[in-house]
Amino acid sequence: MKKRGFTFWFLVWGLGIAGQICWNMENQWFNTFVYAKIAKDPTIISWMVAISAIATTLSTFLFGCVSDRRGKRKPFIAIGYILWGVFTIVFGMTQFLTGGSGAGRGSVLIVAGVSVVIADAIMSFFGSMGNDVGFNTWMNDHMDEDNRGQLGAAMATQPVIGTIAGTVIGGMLVGADDNYMRLFLVMGIAVILFGIYCLFAMKDSPYTKPSIRGSFSQQFFSIFNVKEYIKHKELVWVNLSLAMYFIAFNMYFTHLGNYMIYYLGFTADMMGYMEGIGLVLAMLAVIPSTKLINKGYIPQLCQVSVILNCIGVGILGLFVRPENVNVKTLMNPTLLIGIFILGLGYMLFLQSISVWGKQLYPEDARGQFEGIRIVFFVLIPMIVAPLISNPIIMRSGQFVDENGFVAYLPTHTLLIVGAVLVLITLLPLHFAKKIYEKRVK
């Protein structure tokens, strides 16, 4: 295999980190944007999360099949990233439908809420086309014995770096004055530029050939053949573990920014710094786990990460309250410890299970099997999680805002439930681990 040059590695890290920051922005800042500019109502967030998850999944299945049949990834990456950036900016412009105020009600609020949901869904559709289908499969195509470790490290660390950078940089761009349009403009333009660069600099792997299995409809619907899918028993249990973990994760993490800003009282930039410090420390602690992954301790790392996540979320839910935090300083030890352990568990789990699952994909259907992963990683968690979190917030966080309207805030109750729920992940992990150990031996 030929050695890869600067352009290849620049695309690996540039596209990867830009994409992960953009996904983090959607998970972290879109929800605080809704509370700041539209309304303090978790129902809008629930619809936004569920519809965007459906759009993401449809995009992954559709373009995964098309890219496998064509044996090409480059056009899907370039076009996907460009449109991803465009609709990121469009999403931010929905704030002007309420005149920049979060107090709009009646028909104006309905129009703004529906527009937010639609803009997020379109953005997710093209983001999945460019990143989930195009970029992730392109990296798999280029993986060989000489660069497997380097690409594996990139896939494992990019979500971590994206989470940290998206949280800290996002907080800095939004600032104490809630300037979300600045954030969406910067990120949208950055992603557009990477997409344009791909048009000229990217090359598909010469070893990737078109994989045509019957007509388009036959190949597209073949992925929904449950009997064939369950033959991959280890992958089935890995994906079930992924789904269970991220049901719990999305239940609380989707609202973590609003919890810190509107319940605890931090400004957006201070919230970004607080989370950033905890996550940076968590990333440094996770680095040694790469060696353990290479030695085959992936199931054990996943189990440990679930327990760590439970402890971290539990600390926030049990011991952090508005009356015992100082919103004017970063020195909030209990809050920082909780975020650190939460982040440590999250990063360790994502790193381990991503490597585990991708090793089990059939070579002739990588694009389509990436679509299956999205069902368990995105679709199921993002539809189920709001069904759990929304009633909890509506019952435990109701208050009357400064305009005399009823509003709803995520409180510590949400985190306590999340800490308990994440432990259910240990059940499917147990069965995945048994099959893994049998296969390895």
Side-chain angles (χ1 to χ4, degrees):
M1 299 289 180
K2 73 171 186 177
K3 292 186 176 181
R4 314 295 179 181
F6 170 80
T7 300
F8 173 78
W9 290 109
F10 179 76
L11 287 169
V12 166
W13 285 99
L15 286 170
I17 292 177
Q20 290 301 325
I21 290 176
C22 225
W23 284 134
N24 171 263
M25 180 178 64
E26 181 176 9
N27 294 331
Q28 181 81 281
W29 295 107
F30 277 24
N31 306 315
T32 60
F33 166 81
V34 169
Y35 264 50
K37 303 297 182 181
I38 309 298
K40 295 178 178 64
D41 188 342
T43 304
I44 298 175
I45 294 175
S46 297
W47 278 103
M48 189 170 71
V49 168
I51 299 300
S52 70
I54 293 170
T56 296
T57 306
L58 289 175
S59 173
T60 309
F61 277 124
L62 174 62
F63 295 116
C65 182
V66 175
S67 68
D68 281 342
R69 287 177 67 86
R70 292 192 60 191
K72 301 287 184 181
R73 318 297 184 191
K74 173 181 173 177
F76 301 96
I77 299 172
I79 296 171
Y81 267 69
I82 290 170
L83 294 176
W84 194 8
V86 169
F87 283 98
T88 296
I89 297 170
V90 170
F91 177 88
M93 295 174 68
T94 58
Q95 69 178 295
F96 301 119
L97 295 175
T98 62
S101 171
R105 287 298 184 271
S107 60
V108 174
L109 178 57
I110 293 173
V111 170
V114 171
S115 299
V116 161
V117 172
I118 293 173
D120 183 38
I122 297 173
M123 193 214 75
S124 298
F125 183 84
F126 290 115
S128 183
M129 172 187 174
N131 187 263
D132 293 326
V133 173
F135 176 68
N136 284 337
T137 313
W138 178 79
M139 284 215 296
N140 268 351
D141 291 342
H142 282 278
M143 189 177 291
D144 55 48
E145 292 181 0
D146 296 327
N147 63 25
R148 189 180 305 275
Q150 292 165 295
L151 285 178
M155 286 189 287
T157 57
Q158 283 171 359
V160 176
I161 296 171
T163 299
I164 294 170
T167 301
V168 177
I169 296 173
M172 293 171 63
L173 289 171
V174 172
D177 58 341
D178 284 347
N179 192 336
Y180 283 88
M181 199 64 230
R182 183 166 52 208
L183 169 65
F184 299 141
L185 277 172
V186 170
M187 280 312 306
I189 291 171
V191 172
I192 290 170
L193 291 176
F194 268 110
I196 294 172
Y197 181 71
C198 287
L199 289 172
F200 302 98
M202 175 172 276
K203 293 182 180 179
D204 281 311
S205 169
Y207 304 100
T208 303
K209 305 298 180 185
S211 175
I212 300 175
R213 304 188 302 277
S215 67
F216 176 83
S217 60
Q218 289 174 326
Q219 187 165 342
F220 179 80
F221 288 106
S222 69
I223 203 68
F224 300 101
N225 188 330
V226 178
K227 289 183 179 180
E228 286 297 318
Y229 172 64
I230 61 176
K231 290 179 181 178
H232 304 271
K233 291 183 180 179
E234 185 179 347
L235 184 59
V236 169
W237 285 112
V238 167
N239 281 337
L240 287 173
S241 302
L242 189 69
M244 191 61 244
Y245 181 91
F246 278 97
I247 286 172
F249 180 82
N250 282 292
M251 195 207 81
Y252 69 82
F253 191 80
T254 300
H255 302 281
L256 192 60
N258 287 327
Y259 160 81
M260 292 185 65
I261 294 172
Y262 297 103
Y263 179 63
L264 297 183
F266 289 96
T267 57
D269 53 346
M270 283 294 288
M271 184 276 282
Y273 296 139
M274 289 293 297
E275 285 195 20
I277 291 172
L279 293 174
V280 167
L281 294 175
M283 183 184 71
L284 296 175
V286 163
I287 289 174
S289 66
T290 303
K291 293 183 179 179
L292 295 175
I293 290 174
N294 291 336
K295 290 181 179 179
Y297 293 107
I298 295 176
Q300 293 88 341
L301 287 172
C302 287
Q303 290 172 325
V304 170
S305 68
V306 169
I307 295 170
L308 286 172
N309 196 252
C310 172
I311 294 171
V313 180
I315 289 173
L316 296 180
L318 293 172
F319 303 112
V320 177
R321 298 289 186 277
E323 57 268 20
N324 62 24
V325 297
N326 185 348
V327 298
K328 296 181 179 180
T329 178
L330 298 176
M331 294 304 296
N332 289 277
T334 305
L335 182 61
L336 285 173
I337 290 171
I339 293 173
F340 165 70
I341 300 176
L342 182 164
L344 184 61
Y346 162 67
M347 293 177 187
L348 191 59
F349 184 85
L350 188 60
Q351 180 182 22
S352 304
I353 206 158
S354 295
V355 174
W356 190 356
K358 289 179 184 293
Q359 290 176 344
L360 303 173
Y361 288 0
E363 288 187 12
D364 63 343
R366 287 172 178 162
Q368 286 185 281
F369 267 74
E370 192 65 32
I372 292 179
R373 185 182 78 93
I374 292 299
V375 169
F376 292 92
F377 181 39
V378 176
L379 181 65
I380 294 174
M382 288 190 174
I383 288 178
V384 175
L387 298 177
I388 303 171
S389 61
N390 211 47
I392 295 172
I393 295 171
M394 301 288 275
R395 291 175 184 175
S396 64
Q398 180 176 324
F399 79 108
V400 178
D401 66 16
E402 63 277 7
N403 298 304
F405 295 109
V406 176
Y408 304 92
L409 298 183
T411 67
H412 60 277
T413 305
L414 186 70
L415 298 172
I416 294 172
V417 176
V420 175
L421 192 63
V422 73
L423 290 176
I424 302 176
T425 310
L426 294 175
L427 184 60
L429 270 179
H430 169 74
F431 294 105
K433 181 173 178 284
K434 288 179 67 175
I435 300 173
Y436 173 89
E437 289 173 345
K438 183 178 180 180
R439 173 173 61 84
V440 171
K441 289 179 181 179

